[in-house]
Amino acid sequence: MKVGIASTGLTKFSKDDISIESLMVSSIKPVFENASNLEQKDIDVVLTSTNANDKYLANIVSELSGISPKVAHSVESLCNSGTNCLVSAYAYISSGLAKTALVVGAEKTDSPGLVLEWDKSRGQYKHPIYWSSIFTQAYMRKYGTTMEDLAYVSAKNHRNALDNPNAYFNRTYSVEEIMQSKFLTENIRLLDCSMPCNGAAAILLASEEVISRFTDKPIWITGIGQKATSAGFTKNNDLSSMQSTISSVVDAYDMSKKQPSDIDVAELHDAFSICEMIELEDLGLVDRGKSMSYVKQLYDTSDRKINPRGGLIGSGHPLGATGVAQTIEIFNQLQGDAGKRQINGAKTGMVHNMSAAGTSSTVLILES
Amino acid sequence: MNKFEQELKNNNFVCSRCTRCNKIVWPPSDLCNKCFGDVVWKPVSRKARLIEFSRKNGEYFCMAEFDEGIRVMGTVESASIVHVGQPLTLTRCSYDDTEKFVFSTDEGK
């Protein structure tokens, strides 16, 4: 059974202090406004995606939204909670257990999901800047990448975010400014990092059977790949690549019968500048070692194909909302409703969302 | 504090080894992640190899691999420039809110 996206809702990403349930409800409101004929009773499943410690959030948010779903629960997988939640919702519908499912992702700046305390193998270096610094060093060693090459990722994504009204950042940074921003490690600058923030994103999925009641422009999820290699960073053997991403993209291409050349637009999990470079190659979108020249070319030609909404670096990174927000961008692109960010004629899009140093990845392929 | 953390605090790096299939289970666990057999504590050798490194505030941090294939991130204390693949010795380990591993380079030994 085909499963599609019927409607979406997004809040502004900010540091405004607002409760997690208020954030969630704020993103559900536009889901109803953007769908034709959607009523609370139409929603079979409500899944919340967050790393917040709050309990029973799916039920709380359902009650606050006047929904009494058959199924309500949370999905947590650190930074790829959002796409894990979408895949769970997809499975409820494709199995026939539900006809519709509302996915709501949200996070606050002080999320307990920012650092994986369990990972003893990271010793005292548990903060994400350390794994990203190790990835960066390994990649630089292999391909001769420079700090300037890395800065192009951030410059491009901040510039793309300028046309995203929901982005946390709303200014451009030059390559020089990025290279001169605060040194966090030898090879990580502050502006190479995504910024934790508050934000929420919601998506209504529906079966092929009922989706036309809510939209006349459904976007279909045609490919899904997920892989959890491990929880600990030190199990990813090749430090210039993410095993879980390589594995999940193969499954996503197989399921959708697509190949890299079919992808018109993609949202990649650029938690740090190095991540976008590695992922471009792991996803097969660019040959090994060619990300540097590719990213520079995207920047020089103002091509928005990769991370048109600004990625995590430009938009901000409210963990549980990120994967949902990435998927909303591809939904908008494939509907032709991405405004100034629109990639003309985009028919097939990709979402890549990963967590904890690339130990887990999700890849979605969407089609109009 | 659990046994692993207590040992680490006493400068002993120990890991679990399965009594049934002898697999080294890292990070430590109460049961083997291959056959679910019971485990015993086994000291890890102090000899390691540098897999990758970077620096923060002039101080080296690295990923190192021990002979048993166990990988950890720790500090490298070295007067000279370090390089990938070079032998390391675990000079200290400890536990104070988090695990700490400190390596030295084997130059001159």
Side-chain angles (χ1 to χ4, degrees):
Chain A
M1 184 186 306
K2 280 171 80 176
V3 177
I5 301 176
S7 184
T8 67
L10 199 54
T11 69
K12 169 111 180 122
F13 290 2
S14 75
K15 293 215 172 167
D16 299 344
D17 193 25
I18 177 169
S19 71
I20 193 101
E21 60 267 29
S22 289
L23 276 169
M24 286 183 168
V25 176
S26 300
S27 70
I28 293 172
K29 181 183 174 189
V31 169
F32 280 87
E33 291 168 348
N34 295 336
S36 48
N37 310 313
L38 177 66
E39 294 176 52
Q40 280 96 332
K41 67 175 173 48
D42 296 323
I43 295 176
D44 294 336
V45 174
V46 173
L47 302 183
T48 46
S49 153
T50 183
N51 296 274
N53 286 329
D54 305 63
K55 300 301 166 208
Y56 221 39
L57 262 177
N59 295 63
I60 292 168
V61 167
S62 295
E63 181 173 339
L64 293 172
S65 305
I67 303 166
S68 299
K70 294 174 181 171
V71 176
H73 62 81
S74 248
V75 174
E76 177 273 305
S77 178
L78 293 178
C79 300
N80 70 346
S81 301
T83 49
N84 269 270
C85 202
L86 283 165
V87 171
S88 302
Y90 178 101
Y92 277 119
I93 296 172
S94 64
S95 69
L97 279 175
K99 292 189 169 56
T100 59
L102 179 65
V103 166
V104 193
E107 206 74 54
K108 296 192 63 177
T109 307
D110 58 355
S111 169
L114 293 170
V115 175
L116 180 60
E117 296 295 343
W118 176 87
D119 193 356
K120 296 173 175 60
S121 71
R122 292 197 225 169
Q124 64 183 295
Y125 298 102
K126 288 189 174 60
H127 192 281
I129 61 167
Y130 297 110
W131 62 251
S132 61
S133 190
I134 291 287
F135 268 131
T136 303
Q137 198 63 30
Y139 189 87
M140 284 176 150
R141 184 183 313 289
K142 199 164 183 175
Y143 299 115
T145 314
T146 64
M147 294 305 295
E148 185 178 350
D149 293 326
L150 289 169
Y152 273 99
V153 174
S154 176
K156 169 180 77 67
N157 293 348
H158 276 109
R159 190 174 65 191
N160 287 352
L162 263 190
D163 289 324
N164 172 3
N166 292 311
Y168 176 76
F169 287 99
N170 60 357
R171 59 156 289 192
T172 56
Y173 291 91
S174 68
V175 167
E176 291 70 29
E177 276 178 289
I178 292 160
M179 289 170 68
Q180 283 160 20
S181 63
K182 186 178 175 190
F183 286 37
L184 300 184
T185 71
E186 187 172 50
N187 54 23
I188 305 281
R189 302 290 174 266
L190 181 64
L191 287 170
D192 284 315
C193 309
S194 57
M195 177 76 77
C197 62
N198 299 333
I203 284 180
L204 179 71
L205 294 185
S207 70
E208 187 176 16
E209 186 189 339
V210 302
I211 201 165
S212 60
R213 283 166 51 194
F214 312 119
T215 179
D216 52 11
K217 285 198 291 186
I219 299 301
W220 306 102
I221 298 177
T222 59
I224 296 176
Q226 294 214 114
K227 183 67 178 178
T229 307
S230 60
F233 171 46
T234 58
K235 297 289 169 70
N236 185 71
N237 281 328
D238 179 355
L239 296 169
S240 58
S241 164
M242 296 172 188
Q243 270 169 252
S244 67
T245 294
I246 294 172
S247 173
S248 51
V249 81
V250 167
D251 288 346
Y253 284 138
D254 276 356
M255 181 174 162
S256 62
K257 301 185 173 57
K258 294 288 173 189
Q259 50 189 353
S261 59
D262 294 319
I263 304 301
D264 300 314
V265 57
E267 277 285 323
L268 268 53
H269 193 103
D270 56 330
F272 297 90
S273 296
I274 188 63
C275 298
E276 182 170 311
M277 291 208 174
I278 289 176
E279 292 156 4
L280 280 167
E281 296 170 15
D282 286 347
L283 294 166
L285 298 174
V286 174
D287 290 341
R288 292 277 166 204
K290 301 295 183 199
S291 286
M292 297 167 273
S293 53
Y294 181 68
V295 167
K296 186 165 186 303
Q297 178 201 323
L298 292 176
Y299 181 79
D300 289 342
T301 59
S302 297
D303 185 338
R304 298 175 193 257
K305 175 176 172 175
I306 305 297
N307 282 327
R309 77 186 175 113
L312 281 60
I313 287 178
S315 304
H317 182 24
L319 281 58
T322 284
V324 184
Q326 291 177 302
T327 308
I328 292 174
E329 177 66 11
I330 299 302
F331 168 83
N332 289 334
Q333 291 283 349
L334 301 183
Q335 278 202 331
D337 290 339
K340 287 183 183 171
R341 306 188 306 279
Q342 184 64 44
I343 305 292
N344 288 332
K347 288 187 165 45
T348 304
M350 174 186 275
V351 176
H352 167 269
N353 186 201
M354 65 84 171
S355 66
T359 51
S360 167
S361 293
T362 309
V363 176
L364 305 178
I365 292 177
L366 274 59
E367 291 179 69
S368 53
Chain B
M1 199 177 288
N2 62 34
K3 165 87 172 167
F4 171 73
E5 291 161 357
Q6 189 62 54
E7 288 290 333
L8 214 56
K9 202 175 172 71
N10 294 331
N11 196 23
N12 295 320
F13 180 25
V14 297
C15 187
S16 8
R17 182 178 61 78
C18 179
T19 55
R20 196 193 286 173
C21 75
N22 282 324
K23 184 168 190 273
I24 300 292
V25 184
W26 171 251
S29 176
D30 291 335
L31 293 172
C32 174
N33 63 2
K34 185 178 176 200
C35 74
F36 297 100
D38 291 331
V39 298
V40 291
W41 293 106
K42 176 193 176 298
V44 176
S45 83
R46 309 293 279 201
K47 295 291 176 196
R49 187 171 63 91
L50 186 67
I51 299 295
E52 194 51 85
F53 65 90
S54 181
R55 276 185 291 190
K56 180 175 169 60
N57 299 329
E59 184 183 74
Y60 284 111
F61 61 92
C62 76
M63 187 184 289
E65 183 173 309
F66 289 91
D67 291 348
E68 295 85 348
I70 294 167
R71 287 184 173 193
V72 303
M73 289 180 73
T75 308
V76 189
E77 292 179 341
S78 176
S80 54
I81 293 169
V82 306
H83 56 269
V84 165
Q86 84 180 93
L88 298 172
T89 301
L90 181 69
T91 45
R92 308 193 288 287
C93 54
S94 64
Y95 187 89
D96 182 13
D97 289 332
T98 189
E99 305 76 18
K100 285 196 174 112
F101 301 95
V102 181
F103 296 93
S104 70
T105 53
D106 277 350
E107 308 151 82
K109 288 184 185 170

